Amino acid sequence: MSSTYYTVLKIENKLSTDLTGGKAVIEKGTLLGSLPESITAGSTSAEIRINATNGDDGSRGRIEYKYTAGNKERTVSFLFKCDNTSSNNAKVLASDPSTLETNTSPYSADDHPLRVTYTIGQAN
């Protein structure tokens, strides 16, 4: 029987710069397939799936990318958590949040699996 405590995510890049240096930091679960090394400005990544390792153990971690703002390299992390111990969680953290506008698609705290689209754009 397969677990429903996995995460499927997409990243929509509305910045005028590419997201580069893709890195997955998985605390629970395993990355299915490969992570895109970069996400071109104005595009959306293919689905990224993090499977639960054991039964209902769940999936938790973050996907990190670098971007350029104000001639400086910055970092943005897309955090996710889907398991049977507490509510789901999905959010965006940035090294300089003043440079970004972020949105996380609506999801329910008890969605299994967790399906989420993160959107980032230039702050006004």
Side-chain angles (χ1 to χ4, degrees):
M1 174 175 19
S2 67
S3 170
T4 59
Y5 295 97
Y6 62 90
T7 300
V8 178
L9 60 91
K10 289 184 181 182
I11 300 169
E12 184 177 9
N13 180 7
K14 291 187 173 183
L15 295 171
S16 59
T17 184
D18 295 349
L19 298 176
T20 61
K23 176 180 164 185
V25 180
I26 308 299
E27 297 170 23
K28 271 187 175 181
T30 55
L31 181 66
L32 183 65
S34 60
L35 182 71
E37 171 64 25
S38 63
I39 303 171
T40 307
S43 69
T44 302
S45 72
E47 284 189 345
I48 301 166
R49 181 172 166 156
I50 300 85
N51 281 345
T53 306
N54 267 330
D56 293 339
D57 200 25
S59 52
R60 179 174 65 218
R62 67 186 183 274
I63 306 296
E64 298 178 345
Y65 283 95
K66 296 176 182 170
Y67 67 100
T68 303
N71 295 323
K72 291 185 181 178
E73 187 173 85
R74 318 274 188 187
T75 303
V76 60
S77 298
F78 304 93
L79 286 70
F80 60 88
K81 180 180 75 78
C82 179
D83 62 28
N84 65 350
T85 61
S86 58
S87 298
N88 291 338
N89 194 348
K91 62 182 174 180
V92 179
L93 295 179
S95 60
D96 185 357
S98 68
T99 63
L100 295 177
E101 281 188 5
T102 64
N103 182 44
T104 303
S105 66
Y107 64 91
S108 170
D110 58 358
D111 283 348
H112 300 117
L114 173 62
R115 294 184 180 274
V116 63
T117 299
Y118 302 94
T119 304
I120 62 169
Q122 221 58 51
N124 292 329

